[in-house]
Amino acid sequence: LIETARYWVTRLEVDADGTAHVRGVIGPDEYHEDVDDNAYTNVMARWNLRRAADLLDPADGEAARWRDLADRLVDGYDPHTGCYEQFAGYWQLDALDLAELAEPPVAADVLLGRDRVAATRIIKQADVLMLHHLVPDEVAPGSLAPNLDVYLPATAHGSSLSPAIHASLLARAGRPDQAASWLRLAASLDLDDRTDTTASGLHLATMGGVWQALAFGFFGARPAGSVLRIDPRPLPDGWQALELRLRFHGRRIVLRHHHDHVEFDTDGPVPIDVADSWLRKDER
Amino acid sequence: MKPTDHRRGAVLAAVDATPAAETILRVAAALGRAFDTAVRAVHVTTHEAELVQGIADRAGIELATIRGDPTDALTQAVSEMDVRIAVVGCRDRPTGRRPAGHVALAVIERAAKPVVVVPPDSTITAILKVLLPLDGTDEAAAAVEPTVRMLAASGLEIVVAHVFDASHIPAFIDQPHHALPAWGHEFLARYANTDLDLRLRTGIPEARVLDLAAEEHADLIVLGWSQDLSPGHARIIQRLLCESDIPLLLVPTPARS
């Protein structure tokens, strides 16, 4: 964290108005290269600077410098819409309707060509929404739904990593049937040879994404220091229950989600913090 | 010069007295050299039989004259055991821009063997390089598989082509520089042969095939098909019949052949 924070200091540019920028990057959406102020990059850099500063002595001048730069970093968030602009100028791109071209998932760069797709708002995979997936505490509260509404229709899912991440996000947003649809696609990626390349090897990162969709999405599981936080989300109607096994700080935990209640089995003491909405009044 | 191997089956060219006959015989001779096999010509008797005989004589190709309804007679001639590939003309005038005449169309729809359709303005004098468009279906791959083996055994250079369009496009291409070669390798393994070269393009398939044939300087385009030229079918072949300057080798699907 310390060294990557130092890297970001070399990469940031502070303009005359005092705002800090990261120019010339590629975010997770690889259809748009060499962009400025990619929201994902800037927020992750900000997170990096602040976490690294926490590790230093508060009186350390370098830590103060990092916090100051983190505060200056722009992130493209518009509080009126609740949306982040993926990068500077994204809203000015051609709002080509992906649904009229082809049904996702589709390799839009192969279909349209790299230059054409780069001139549109069509994106390859979660970019702004990757922030909501990886660092939900770093994005504006309540911004998941409006950003899903804007970016999901523009997403081609040309990356095999994309469906599972969106399954996770849709589950968290309380859209379980939509989530299940993307989860099913991700889970069947190699079983059904959806890439036509399974003979060349399995898509292990997609498999990891499927697990994350269940853990982070439907169970709302997140580590918080030594505590496992659980915020279960609604399951699709067709699912009877969901069971997930995981390890947390050396403990084996079985989580079970039964639509109206959740159960845990562990092989020893482990602090689990369950979201208020799932507790009876006398348990709160 | 090694002797022609007659056991391989002959190339049979169907000719009439039109100016296209010389072109058809030139391409038939090129096919005979490429496949190291005999070349014969056939003509359904007309009042121009002597003229046709003269054209065949100048080409140095043996001509047989047969009688009867042209479509039936030619289809019967093509079906003979010792015929391996038939050759017909594509249009009746070198400057024409319409598909083959009704006799040629009927022959290619009925023949149970591969048929080469020669555009009248073809300048091909040797068959060295072949373009093999594949649509990624088992049917098309199975149709051309024996022909591709024959082409490969004859030492011809084969370039496989596949065209993506909105209805046939990979769902996922994670990293184009890795994923597209992997996709292409798997495509060749499934539908052709991984020793062959593959060209991937995006767009209107028939237009891209024409482009690729020109880019690659192909001498022959090989296509599997279900022998159905009725409206709504064989769109790619219909357009290539109209526009290709390069001979087409049309191979019936196994079900028909």
Side-chain angles (χ1 to χ4, degrees), chain A residues 53-66:
Chain A
D54 290 343
L55 299 175
L56 299 183
D57 183 334
D60 188 299
E62 192 172 32
R65 170 77 173 141
W66 290 349

Side-chain angles (χ1 to χ4, degrees), chain B residues 234-254:
Chain B
R235 188 190 74 223
I236 294 173
I237 287 173
Q238 301 253 26
R239 180 159 173 192
L240 293 184
L241 282 172
C242 289
E243 297 188 21
S244 176
D245 295 330
I246 299 166
L248 309 179
L249 172 51
L250 304 180
V251 185
T253 56

Side-chain angles (χ1 to χ4, degrees), chain A residues 107 110 124 157-158 160 193 196, chain B residues 170 172-175 186 190 202:
Chain A
V110 176
K124 183 174 182 178
H157 303 283
S160 60
D193 191 23
D196 294 328
Chain B
F172 306 103
I173 293 294
D174 287 316
Q175 297 286 340
E186 187 61 26
R190 292 181 189 193
T202 301

Side-chain angles (χ1 to χ4, degrees), chain B residues 3-10 36-39 82:
Chain B
T4 299
D5 185 350
H6 291 276
R7 292 171 301 177
R8 292 169 184 251
D36 189 21
T37 192
V39 180
D82 65 341

Side-chain angles (χ1 to χ4, degrees), chain B residues 36-109:
Chain B
D36 189 21
T37 192
V39 180
R40 301 201 313 266
V42 64
H43 170 64
V44 180
T45 300
T46 65
H47 60 281
E48 297 169 314
E50 284 186 19
L51 186 56
V52 177
Q53 184 66 58
I55 297 170
D57 289 346
R58 284 195 296 280
I61 292 174
E62 176 190 340
L63 177 73
T65 302
I66 56 177
R67 295 178 185 282
D69 171 76
T71 300
D72 292 341
L74 287 174
T75 304
Q76 175 62 33
V78 171
S79 71
E80 295 295 330
M81 285 288 288
D82 65 341
V83 173
R84 189 177 201 178
I85 293 178
V87 185
V88 300
C90 182
R91 298 168 216 109
D92 57 1
R93 289 182 180 80
T95 55
R97 278 295 160 189
R98 60 190 176 90
H102 71 279
V103 173
L105 288 177
V107 170
I108 66 173
E109 282 193 288

Side-chain angles (χ1 to χ4, degrees), chain A residues 230-234 259-262 273-281 283-284:
Chain A
I230 302 291
D231 183 11
R233 314 305 299 165
H259 286 275
D260 58 350
H261 69 283
V262 288
D273 179 9
V274 181
D276 272 0
S277 57
W278 284 81
L279 299 178
R280 294 190 303 266
K281 282 183 180 175
E283 291 176 322
R284 289 178 185 166

